[in-house]
Amino acid sequence: MLSDQELVIQFQKEHEKEAVFTELLKRHQQKVYYQIKRMVNEHADADDIAQLVWLKVWNKLEGFKMESEFSTWVFRIAYNETLNFLQKQKRDSQHLLSSEHYDYENANVGFDDPKSSQIQIALERAIQQVPEKQRIVFMLRYFEELPYDKIAAITGTTVGGAKANFHQALKKMQEILKKN
Amino acid sequence: MHSNTRDIELELDKQKIEELLTKSALSHLCAKQEQVPHGYFETFDTQVLNKIKSQKRQNPIIRLSTYMPYLMAAAITILIATTFIFIQTDNKTNTIAKVNMQDIPTEEIDSYVSENESIAEIDWQSEINLIGGSLDKETGDNLLQDTNTKQN
């Protein structure tokens, strides 16, 4: 099986571009989608952003210099597009903030114990209240289990910056949960 | 070794989170976030490729970087060819002109000059008539007289 880098080289040499692109997309589509969905919550929004991300990948892959791994590069595009979406959503006065917009009523689905569902709601509220950049670092660290250097490359910060964001996110969630 | 340190660091971070947020709530959240409509990932590539195709139809991208070397080569060739053709044509015209002048007999040139001399004088007379309005009568008469004397 060809590596991502070899596929990128094939794409840049115009060898069966569509087939090569499809292979790269199939390898990474789930992780890209989940990274977006964890931030925007709604499937329709995540789908729109994911399509935009892959469209950008198609348009820019020719000029990709392979200074980082292909997956890091795609995650970085997804990160930027997600932040753009969230900022646009915030600016739109008619749109509810994501914390209010989130469907907490259905958050307890799958929990028979009411105490568990309360914990679940509290957790989701706490996560939603963490600033976007800290929240995304938290998500990438916990759910994607990414190392700090990769998180730093995706979010365009230093390893120290990524670590600080992660600990700030934890601290913020702790404060929110204590209040509740 | 480096990878081991990373793994330990990750485990410690996860532990901290799970102490704070409980593992079951986090795994439930994870499962919820990863819910997608049935068959979504199977058709996602087709959706993206369709978007790419419609984008291509709307704005056909002309990649200058690909064609630039060929365009430059064509432009240089055309420039050289045009310059060469221009120089060649110019040389030919001069040669033809030189040959023709040498081939014409002197008598023909003389008769051409004398024929055209009278035409030139007629033109000269009409020019005087034209500017006559701005000359006084005496100067005009003198000029006409001079011309007639020369013609006779």
Side-chain angles (χ1 to χ4, degrees):
Chain A
M1 196 174 81
L2 292 175
S3 68
D4 284 356
Q5 199 174 350
E6 285 166 331
L7 286 172
V8 171
I9 292 167
Q10 277 203 353
F11 182 93
Q12 290 174 341
K13 283 183 180 170
E14 316 254 335
H15 282 308
E16 296 170 348
K17 282 177 88 169
E18 275 189 21
V20 171
F21 176 77
T22 309
E23 174 63 28
L24 285 167
L25 181 146
K26 282 199 175 288
R27 281 186 193 180
H28 301 282
Q29 62 173 346
Q30 292 199 12
K31 288 209 165 188
V32 169
Y33 173 84
Y34 293 144
Q35 184 194 314
I36 300 164
K37 176 95 181 293
R38 290 187 215 288
M39 293 298 290
V40 298
N41 297 317
E42 296 293 327
H43 166 73
D45 294 336
D47 179 42
D48 283 348
I49 300 168
Q51 287 195 32
L52 200 66
V53 168
W54 287 104
L55 209 63
K56 282 206 167 177
V57 170
W58 171 274
N59 290 335
K60 292 183 175 183
L61 193 55
E62 198 119 331
F64 176 52
K65 289 172 187 165
M66 283 180 274
E67 284 162 355
S68 64
E69 280 177 40
F70 172 76
S71 63
T72 309
W73 181 66
V74 180
F75 282 159
R76 184 156 171 73
I77 296 174
Y79 168 79
N80 288 330
E81 288 305 318
T82 310
L83 278 189
N84 285 346
F85 172 85
L86 292 171
Q87 277 156 12
K88 210 184 277 178
Q89 202 179 44
K90 252 188 195 175
R91 277 198 302 268
D92 188 354
S93 56
Q94 287 181 319
H95 214 108
L96 293 167
L97 287 174
S98 57
S99 56
E100 292 159 342
H101 186 63
Y102 193 52
D103 183 10
Y104 291 112
E105 281 68 36
N106 293 322
N108 60 352
V109 175
F111 280 92
D112 297 327
D113 179 8
K115 198 185 165 191
S116 295
S117 70
Q118 273 182 347
I119 293 169
Q120 183 67 29
I121 292 168
L123 162 72
E124 290 180 24
R125 272 188 199 274
I127 289 176
Q128 293 302 315
Q129 284 176 51
V130 173
E132 286 136 12
K133 286 184 184 177
Q134 293 173 12
R135 188 168 12 132
I136 205 158
V137 171
F138 169 80
M139 299 287 193
L140 291 172
R141 186 67 176 157
Y142 185 77
F143 294 111
E144 306 301 336
E145 300 188 335
L146 293 182
Y148 279 117
D149 55 354
K150 198 160 179 173
I151 294 175
I154 292 167
T155 56
T157 180
T158 58
V159 172
K163 281 184 183 177
N165 273 331
F166 175 79
H167 290 289
Q168 278 163 357
L170 265 190
K171 204 176 158 190
K172 177 93 181 164
M173 277 190 274
Q174 204 167 11
E175 283 168 13
I176 296 163
L177 289 170
K178 265 185 193 172
K179 272 186 202 169
N180 295 333
Chain B
M1 186 70 185
H2 186 63
S3 168
N4 252 349
T5 322
R6 275 181 167 185
D7 291 346
I8 295 164
E9 200 181 10
L10 179 66
E11 278 312 307
L12 286 171
D13 280 349
K14 288 189 84 170
Q15 249 177 24
K16 277 183 209 165
I17 297 169
E18 283 160 7
E19 276 168 21
L20 177 71
L21 305 168
T22 77
K23 202 173 176 174
S24 62
L26 282 162
S27 61
H28 181 256
L29 175 67
C30 182
K32 201 178 161 193
Q33 284 171 338
E34 292 181 3
Q35 273 175 5
V36 286
H38 182 69
Y40 173 69
F41 289 122
E42 281 75 52
T43 56
F44 182 73
D45 58 328
T46 318
Q47 282 183 51
V48 174
L49 287 173
N50 285 341
K51 264 202 168 170
I52 289 167
K53 279 171 195 161
S54 72
Q55 176 197 252
K56 270 189 200 168
R57 260 181 262 126
Q58 278 169 6
N59 338 293
I61 301 164
I62 300 161
R63 263 174 279 122
L64 277 179
S65 58
T66 314
Y67 298 108
M68 195 52 93
Y70 302 109
L71 286 173
M72 291 289 281
I76 291 167
T77 312
I78 289 167
L79 187 74
I80 292 168
T82 316
T83 315
F84 182 72
I85 290 165
F86 177 74
I87 291 166
Q88 287 287 92
T89 317
D90 200 39
N91 282 346
K92 264 187 192 171
T93 317
N94 286 343
T95 319
I96 288 164
K98 273 177 199 169
V99 169
N100 285 347
M101 283 301 285
Q102 280 166 359
D103 287 351
I104 299 167
T106 321
E107 291 131 19
E108 264 185 49
I109 297 169
D110 282 348
S111 68
Y112 175 81
V113 169
S114 59
E115 270 170 33
N116 287 290
E117 205 173 23
S118 58
I119 294 165
E121 276 164 0
I122 290 162
D123 284 349
W124 168 236
Q125 212 166 0
S126 57
E127 282 294 315
I128 291 167
N129 287 340
L130 268 173
I131 59 165
S134 60
L135 296 172
D136 57 87
K137 197 175 180 293
E138 199 181 336
T139 320
D141 287 346
N142 285 340
L143 275 170
L144 265 175
Q145 212 172 0
D146 282 354
T147 318
N148 287 336
T149 321
K150 268 184 196 172
Q151 246 181 336
N152 293 331

